[in-house]
Amino acid sequence: RLGHTLAARIAVELFRETTAELVRITEDDERRALELFLRRRDQDYSFADCTSFVVMRRLGLKNVRAVPLTFGTVHLYVGEK
């Protein structure tokens, strides 16, 4: 675990508009994520993973890598269009 101080510093930095673009999920993203989650029982995807997948698809991200930094079960993803 990172510890609260470092996690808080990273969170504050991520919410700065100059550091990263914050993309919120839409109701349509939620619906599509649920459809994916229910359809892919063969995978060990969480619902949070599925929301990430549908948002990445909506944004047209093609090259996506998982960053080895986690906050509990929430994974941060980066990608390029």
Side-chain angles (χ1 to χ4, degrees):
R1 293 194 44 108
L2 295 173
H4 183 270
T5 302
L6 181 56
R9 208 167 48 205
I10 292 170
V12 167
E13 188 63 29
L14 287 174
F15 277 93
R16 289 187 182 164
E17 290 182 27
T18 58
T19 301
E21 178 183 359
L22 179 62
V23 177
R24 299 190 185 276
I25 63 172
T26 65
E27 287 183 23
D28 190 52
D29 293 332
E30 290 174 343
R31 182 185 53 75
R32 290 175 188 266
L34 180 58
E35 290 171 358
L36 177 61
F37 181 70
L38 296 175
R39 190 172 60 244
R40 296 306 307 263
R41 293 182 187 167
D42 60 320
Q43 299 296 320
D44 192 27
Y45 300 149
S46 69
F47 181 74
D49 291 334
C50 292
T51 60
S52 294
F53 298 154
V54 299
V55 169
M56 288 183 281
R57 180 176 294 151
R58 173 169 55 88
L59 297 176
L61 298 177
K62 305 256 185 237
N63 301 313
V64 180
R65 297 176 295 277
V67 175
L69 173 64
T70 62
F71 296 99
T73 59
V74 179
H75 300 272
L76 302 177
Y77 295 92
V78 296
E80 301 170 13
K81 287 187 178 183

